[in-house]
Amino acid sequence: MTSAATGQAGQASRRTFITLSVMLATIMQALDTTIANVALPHMQGAMGATQDQISWVLTSYIVAAAIFMPLTGFISARIGRKRLFMWSVAGFTVASMLCGAAQSLDQIVLFRLLQGIFGASLVPLSQAVLLDTYPPEKHGSAMAMWGIGVMVGPILGPSLGGWLTEYYNWRWVFYINLPFGLLAWFGLAAFIEETKIDASRRFDLLGFALLSLGIGALQMALDRGESQNWFASREIVIETALMVMAFYLFVVHIFTHPHPYIEPALFRDRNFSVGLVFIFIVGIILLATMTLLPPSCRG
C-alpha cells in the first residue's frame, strides 16, 4: 500500500511539473501575439521607420506562425514530440533575445519571423502533451488549465508590454521571454518522455505550399488593407485573388490526394469542428485589432 501511494504521489508530482512547464511555454507564445503592440511607436522611433514599415514586426510573426503551425504533427512524428518541443522553446527564446538586440528594422522583422516559425509548434504541442499526461477522465480539467494559459497571454500582453516600455525599454518586451523559456526548457527536459518515431509518415509538399500561399496572402491583405484603402489598391486585389485561388486549389487537393496535408475526415468529428468555430470567434475578439486597425490605434 505504501509503495502504491508513493507511486501515485510521484506520478501526481510529475504531472504538476509537466503542467507548469507546458503552461510556461504556452503563455510565452500567447503573450508574444500582443505584447509588442504597445511598443510599436517606440520601435518606430528607434528604427526610424514609418507606420506601414513597423507593422511588419507584427505581420511577419503572425504569418510565420500561421504557416508553420500545421507542420507540427508531421515534424513531431519524424523527430519525436519532446525533441521538437525543446527545440521550439529554445529557438523561440533565442529569437526573442535577438529581437531585443536588433539594431535595424530588417533585423527585427527577420528575428520576428524566426520567432513565429519556432513558436508555431508550442501551442499544439502543449495541448498534446497535457492530453497524454492526464488520464481520459481528467482531460476536461487539463484543457481548462491549458485554455487559461492561451487566454491569459493575449490579455496580459498589452498591459505588460506597456509597463515594460514605460519603465524600462521596448527591448524588454522581448527579453521578458528569457526566464519563461529557460524554466520551460528545463522542465520539458526533466519530466516529459519522448514519443515513438514514425518514419513512414509522408509529407504533402504541394498541400503545404498551397495552404501557406493562401494563409500568407490572406494575412497580408488583412494587415495592409486599411493602409492601402482596401480594394481600391491593386496590391490588395492581387493578394485576395491569390488567397481565393490557393484555398480553392488546396480544398480540391486534399479531397483528391491519397495522403493530403490535412485529412478531410478530421472535420467529421463534431467536437473538432465546433472547437474550430469557437476558436475562430475567440481569435476575432482577441486579435482582430492587430490586423483591422491602423498601427497608431493598436494596443
Side-chain angles (χ1 to χ4, degrees), residues 102-125:
Q103 299 299 312
S104 68
L105 181 63
D106 292 340
Q107 288 181 6
I108 196 170
V109 169
L110 174 62
F111 297 145
R112 283 285 280 178
L113 191 71
L114 291 176
Q115 250 194 325
I117 292 173
F118 283 107
S121 299
L122 293 181
V123 169
L125 284 175

Side-chain angles (χ1 to χ4, degrees), residues 24-33 35 61 65 84-99 111-122 173-174 176-178 180-181 185:
L24 282 172
T26 302
I27 292 173
M28 179 176 67
Q29 193 276 346
L31 191 68
D32 264 59
T33 59
I35 194 172
Y61 178 85
L84 175 59
F85 210 160
M86 292 178 64
W87 274 106
S88 296
V89 170
F92 188 89
T93 305
V94 171
S96 298
M97 302 302 291
L98 291 173
C99 286
F111 297 145
R112 283 285 280 178
L113 191 71
L114 291 176
Q115 250 194 325
I117 292 173
F118 283 107
S121 299
L122 293 181
V173 303
F174 300 110
I176 192 64
N177 287 331
L178 180 60
F180 287 97
W185 192 90

Side-chain angles (χ1 to χ4, degrees), residues 224-225 227-239:
R224 293 177 55 78
S227 64
Q228 302 298 316
N229 198 21
W230 295 105
F231 291 105
S233 166
R234 180 178 297 178
E235 175 191 339
I236 302 302
V237 172
I238 293 174
E239 288 166 352

Side-chain angles (χ1 to χ4, degrees), residues 204-226:
D204 178 16
L205 180 59
L206 179 58
F208 170 71
L210 290 172
L211 183 61
S212 300
L213 178 60
I215 291 176
L218 173 61
Q219 181 60 45
M220 290 291 295
L222 291 174
D223 192 77
R224 293 177 55 78
E226 191 277 337

